[in-house]
Amino acid sequence: MAITARRPGEEESGVQMSEAAANQKPLLTEIDHIAIAVPDLGAAIDYYRETFGAVVDHREVVESDGVEEALLKVAESYVQLLTPTRDDSTVAKWLNTRGGPGIHHVGYRVADCGEALEAVKAQGFRVLDDAPRPGSRGTTVAFIHPKDALGTLIELVQE
Ligand code: MC0
């Protein structure tokens, strides 16, 4: 049976939530990172250091995604500065379409990436990874399609 998701005081949202989803524990445990796509990683790192005193905690090239990241720690989360390493990277395409830097995706921590991914799939939402896969710094990740996630590309991150 499907029940309607509605918070107190809100109008009927029309969003349907399965009974199983309504009864389960929250899948998202923390914000892992906010990813900001930039054309010039060095300039972006300089901006964060000079403006906010934020320094790079981790840097990595992720060949499978065609990106290089610089992670800046903010409390228990990260700002992920992300730049394409090749022209066919989805981040290169996104920067070209958008015409400049901006928030590319949000990474949410989950206890079990496979379990969270299956819960999203079971509700009929499109995902971009059929199964969890390696992310940066040894994480296990999976992406959810932005068109089924309120216009935001979501990355599920298991540390
Ligand atoms: C595209 N769209 C977005 C978007 N990218 N909406 C919100 N946020 C984004 N980042 C929208 C477009 O505007 C378009 O909407 C529709 O989605 C389809 O876009 P497209 O241009 O036709 O499709 P593609 O080929 O650019 O693919 C977009 C897609 C792709 C999200 C499917 O970027 C993808 O598979 N992403 C998952 C992997 C990824 O992002 N890797 C890089 C980070 P309209 O309305 O025009 O139809 S890897 C990473 O971060 C790792 C290192 C880690 O953290 O561990």
Side-chain angles (χ1 to χ4, degrees), residues 32-33 35 37 60-69 71 80 82 89-91 93-94 97 103-107 127-129 133-147 149-157:
D32 184 77
H33 63 268
E60 184 171 335
V61 172
V62 182
E63 280 302 342
S64 52
D65 283 281
V67 295
E68 180 173 4
E69 69 167 11
L71 292 174
Q80 181 191 48
L82 202 57
S89 158
T90 57
V91 173
K93 183 178 177 185
W94 186 87
T97 304
I103 294 178
H104 180 261
H105 67 265
V106 177
V127 297
L128 296 162
D129 297 294
R133 63 177 176 91
S136 69
R137 74 199 142 95
T139 58
T140 301
V141 306
F143 282 86
I144 301 171
H145 201 292
K147 289 294 172 188
L150 308 181
T152 305
L153 176 58
I154 290 178
E155 181 180 359
L156 304 171
V157 183

Side-chain angles (χ1 to χ4, degrees), residues 9 14 23 27 29 42 46 51 60 71 77 82 90 96 102 114 121-122 126 128 130 135 147:
N23 291 334
L27 291 172
T29 58
D46 288 348
T51 310
E60 184 171 335
L71 292 174
S77 304
L82 202 57
T90 57
N96 282 336
K121 285 162 70 174
R126 282 170 292 173
L128 296 162
D130 264 344
K147 289 294 172 188

Side-chain angles (χ1 to χ4, degrees), residues 21-125:
N23 291 334
Q24 76 186 358
K25 64 187 185 307
L27 291 172
L28 311 180
T29 58
E30 286 173 296
I31 292 176
D32 184 77
H33 63 268
I34 307 290
I36 302 171
V38 299
D40 183 337
L41 190 58
I45 291 168
D46 288 348
Y47 169 78
Y48 266 87
R49 187 185 60 251
E50 289 164 16
T51 310
F52 305 112
V55 294
V56 175
D57 190 76
H58 179 82
R59 199 159 167 166
E60 184 171 335
V61 172
V62 182
E63 280 302 342
S64 52
D65 283 281
V67 295
E68 180 173 4
E69 69 167 11
L71 292 174
L72 316 176
K73 202 153 192 194
V74 179
E76 298 307 313
S77 304
Y78 297 98
V79 172
Q80 181 191 48
L81 301 173
L82 202 57
T83 203
T85 54
R86 51 175 199 261
D87 290 345
D88 64 352
S89 158
T90 57
V91 173
K93 183 178 177 185
W94 186 87
L95 279 168
N96 282 336
T97 304
R98 188 187 148 87
I103 294 178
H104 180 261
H105 67 265
V106 177
Y108 293 108
R109 263 175 222 140
V110 294
D112 183 321
C113 189
E115 179 192 31
L117 184 64
E118 288 310 316
V120 174
K121 285 162 70 174
Q123 291 169 80
F125 298 124

